[in-house]
Amino acid sequence: MSNKMKLTAGAVKRLWATGKDEFFTDRESAGFYLRMSKKGTKSYGFKYQLRGRTHRYRIGSAEAWTADEARREARRLRAEVDAGGNPSKDRQKDRKAETVGQLWKDFLHNHAIPHKRPRSVEEDKRNWRNHLEPRLAHIPLKDMTRRDVMKMMEEMRVTPGAANRTLALLKTMLGRAVHREIITANPCGGVKPYKEKGKEIEPLTDGDFGKVMDA
């Protein structure tokens, strides 16, 4: 089912899941649409005809893109199609060649910075720079395997806390690659984090207890 409306931030926000996939086409920009899944997940896209075939190009989620940003992207894609280009085919080529390093850039700018606290973003940058970049940045996503992840964890076994945080970051990044249909499964699946020793709390001495009571 397709409905025609002007796609604005307010209009998109007011849409609720109906238990079925729905498409809402924009009144202003030809081919620009919003897809709402059965569960209410919203994403923008661009639909176009080329040599008698219909193509759909997913621009991105409504969480990462505003309606105005997605509309501008749809207009750029329309100009590309009018000039003889095929955005969907170009994307397929790009995805086959995309590396873990390129995935990091997408994750940083489209997920971490918009949605995470600055302190968490800085930690992600540090874990990427110190641990992931030197080991995995050059690997094409289609060639990434669980063995690569396990090798990284083995090399970081002397710092289990850092290893676990780095694994969590990588798992989230690769989860986005699965969501974008670049890969079919997350290579971090089944890789277990290290057990971390909790900090031991020393009992208070009589002198310490007295200081606490005085305070």
Side-chain angles (χ1 to χ4, degrees):
M1 179 180 179
S2 180
N3 306 281
K4 186 165 269 192
M5 61 186 291
K6 182 177 179 179
L7 294 174
T8 64
V12 170
K13 189 176 182 180
R14 288 191 293 270
L15 294 174
W16 293 91
T18 60
K20 55 187 177 182
D21 285 338
E22 291 192 85
F23 289 86
F24 301 85
T25 57
D26 187 57
R27 288 176 180 167
E28 291 188 351
S29 301
F32 178 44
Y33 68 87
L34 175 85
R35 174 182 178 268
M36 185 165 65
S37 71
K38 297 177 182 179
K39 296 182 179 180
T41 302
K42 302 170 186 176
S43 59
Y44 295 108
F46 173 65
K47 179 181 177 182
Y48 62 99
Q49 297 279 339
L50 191 65
R51 291 186 284 275
R53 293 186 60 185
T54 299
H55 300 265
R56 287 188 183 274
Y57 182 102
R58 185 180 185 277
I59 294 174
S61 73
E63 292 182 355
W65 293 72
T66 66
D68 288 340
E69 290 171 342
R71 182 180 288 104
R72 285 194 292 270
E73 177 66 5
R75 287 173 176 168
R76 185 192 70 78
L77 293 167
R78 168 55 61 191
E80 185 177 328
V81 171
D82 291 344
N86 187 347
S88 292
K89 187 175 181 179
D90 292 341
R91 170 175 276 184
Q92 290 173 1
K93 291 180 180 178
D94 290 342
R95 283 178 169 176
K96 288 180 180 178
E98 187 168 347
T99 63
V100 177
Q102 291 169 314
L103 178 66
W104 159 252
K105 293 178 181 178
D106 168 76
F107 171 83
L108 178 64
H109 295 291
N110 294 322
H111 176 74
I113 293 175
H115 301 296
K116 302 181 75 172
R117 295 178 180 179
R119 185 174 179 180
S120 296
V121 174
E122 289 306 312
E123 182 178 354
D124 286 346
K125 287 180 178 179
R126 185 168 58 253
N127 286 326
W128 167 257
R129 182 174 61 250
N130 294 339
H131 309 301
L132 291 175
E133 184 175 23
R135 294 179 172 91
L136 305 175
H138 64 286
I139 300 178
L141 289 172
K142 64 182 181 65
D143 295 334
M144 183 79 178
T145 66
R146 185 181 300 175
R147 181 176 296 179
D148 295 314
V149 183
M150 295 179 70
K151 181 181 177 183
M152 178 195 76
M153 293 296 285
E154 175 65 20
E155 291 174 352
M156 296 182 66
R157 64 186 181 279
V158 296
T159 54
N164 290 345
R165 289 187 291 272
T166 301
L167 175 63
L169 170 60
L170 181 62
K171 188 173 184 178
T172 302
M173 287 171 53
L174 292 171
R176 286 178 60 82
V178 173
H179 180 70
R180 290 165 56 200
E181 299 179 352
I182 302 174
I183 54 179
T184 57
N186 194 323
C188 290
V191 179
K192 295 182 179 180
Y194 289 111
K195 292 183 179 180
E196 297 183 50
K197 294 181 180 180
K199 294 182 179 180
E200 295 183 3
I201 302 176
E202 296 183 2
L204 294 176
T205 65
D206 290 342
D208 293 333
F209 185 76
K211 291 177 182 177
V212 172
M213 294 304 294
D214 289 341

